[in-house]
């Protein structure tokens, strides 16, 4: 079933190739070398031309725009015209396809209720959690990731032509089995808990920055 879901998203990516130049540029940018692809200059008008909710994704190998082409419950499927896929659940990246030059994130799961489902704006300072990830590289399955959340000060971020007052929540993660230690950053709407922007370490080699470009919070229009 998981393979079928990804295949559907990859087919949808082909449709995005016919969108405006912003979407067409995505493939070239993601194929850029890791030493420094040019950033995408985005305008509200360009984003408005695409009928899907969109986000801007920056990886070690490139930067591009992804569109949300499908949602099943709380799982969102975001794809680029170059067939890269990012799956988000409550703002957390839980799987990638075609993004990791040293291997993608194959899956993420929680035994208890996910803190991202609870809403990061509701977590007490110092809250701890654990999740398990699967990795393509080395076929690592069930790698334990320990995390601790700390609340930071309110900040103002700018996305396209708008400014947002947001709460920054940092997540210190530690996965001893693969030697991974990092700090993730989440910029959260203090009222709804919606994550407008984040920096997430998904594997030892893959760190991403995600910026929500559209105000849509629900399913594809």
């Amino acid at each position: 079933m998981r393979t079928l879901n990804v295949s559907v998203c990859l087919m949808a990516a082909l449709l995005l190739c016919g969108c405006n130049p912003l979407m067409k540029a995505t493939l070239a940018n993601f194929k850029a070398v890791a030493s420094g692809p040019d950033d995408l200059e985005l305008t509200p008008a360009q984003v408005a031309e695409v009928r899907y909710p969109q986000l801007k994704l920056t990886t070690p190998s490139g930067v591009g725009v992804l569109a949300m082409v499908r949602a099943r419950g709380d799982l969102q499927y975001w794809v680029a015209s170059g067939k890269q896929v990012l799956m988000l659940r409550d703002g957390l990246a839980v799987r990638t396809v075609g993004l990791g030059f040293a291997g993608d994130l194959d899956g993420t799961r929680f035994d208890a209720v996910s803190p991202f489902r609870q809403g990061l704006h509701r977590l007490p300072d110092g809250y701890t959690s654990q999740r398990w990830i699967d990795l393509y590289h080395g076929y690592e399955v069930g790698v334990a990731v320990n995390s601790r959340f700390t609340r930071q000060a309110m900040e103002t971020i700018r996305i396209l032509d708008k400014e947002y007052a947001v709460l920054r929540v940092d997540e210190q993660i530690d996965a001893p089995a693969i030697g991974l230690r990092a700090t993730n950053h989440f910029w959260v709407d203090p009222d709804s808990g919606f994550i407008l922007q984040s920096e997430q370490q998904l594997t030892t080699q893959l760190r991403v920055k995600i910026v929500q470009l559209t105000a849509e919070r629900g399913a594809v229009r």
Side-chain angles (χ1 to χ4, degrees):
M1 181 63 71
R2 184 175 65 181
T3 301
L4 175 61
N5 290 338
V6 174
S7 298
V8 170
C9 288
L10 295 181
M11 292 175 62
L14 298 178
L15 300 177
L16 296 177
C17 294
C19 293
N20 68 2
L22 180 64
M23 299 301 297
K24 292 179 180 178
T26 302
L27 174 59
N29 275 46
F30 271 124
K31 283 188 174 181
V33 296
S35 59
D38 292 334
D39 196 8
L40 284 179
E41 295 296 331
L42 309 174
T43 68
Q46 287 176 311
V47 172
E49 287 180 11
V50 180
R51 68 185 183 92
Y52 298 93
Q54 296 149 76
L55 60 76
K56 178 181 175 182
L57 179 69
T58 303
T59 76
S61 58
V63 56
V65 174
L66 280 68
M68 189 177 79
V69 299
R70 190 177 188 187
R72 298 193 63 182
D74 59 359
L75 183 62
Q76 298 175 342
Y77 297 78
W78 298 80
V79 302
S81 58
K83 302 182 183 180
Q84 297 86 0
V85 178
L86 172 70
M87 298 185 190
L88 295 180
R89 178 172 276 124
D90 303 313
L92 176 69
V94 295
R95 192 186 179 200
T96 67
V97 177
L99 295 183
F101 58 88
D104 280 288
L105 175 66
D106 192 30
T108 306
R109 57 194 176 277
F110 292 85
D111 274 354
V113 177
S114 163
F116 296 88
R117 165 58 65 181
Q118 297 179 56
L120 299 187
H121 63 310
R122 296 193 178 100
L123 299 182
D125 195 50
Y127 183 91
T128 59
S129 178
Q130 187 177 59
R131 59 182 176 267
W132 287 262
I133 61 174
D134 302 330
L135 307 174
Y136 282 114
H137 183 64
Y139 302 100
E140 299 273 4
V141 177
V143 176
V145 179
N146 304 303
S147 65
R148 183 177 185 273
F149 296 88
T150 55
R151 298 167 65 93
Q152 306 299 321
M154 293 287 294
E155 297 182 6
T156 299
I157 62 173
R158 187 176 183 87
I159 300 176
L160 297 177
D161 61 343
K162 295 183 180 180
E163 291 188 342
Y164 300 87
V166 292
L167 170 68
R168 198 184 95 199
V169 178
D170 289 350
E171 180 195 24
Q172 290 79 37
I173 62 171
D174 182 19
I178 57 174
L180 171 61
R181 297 191 69 181
T183 300
N184 297 333
H185 307 288
F186 300 90
W187 288 267
V188 182
D189 183 304
D191 297 319
S192 69
F194 182 78
I195 299 173
L196 287 91
Q197 179 176 296
S198 65
E199 295 177 5
Q200 304 182 39
Q201 190 77 38
L202 306 186
T203 72
T204 54
Q205 300 293 325
L206 180 57
R207 186 173 182 86
V208 300
K209 179 179 179 180
I210 302 168
V211 179
Q212 294 285 342
L213 298 177
T214 47
E216 289 83 358
R217 302 293 191 263
V220 179
R221 286 181 284 169

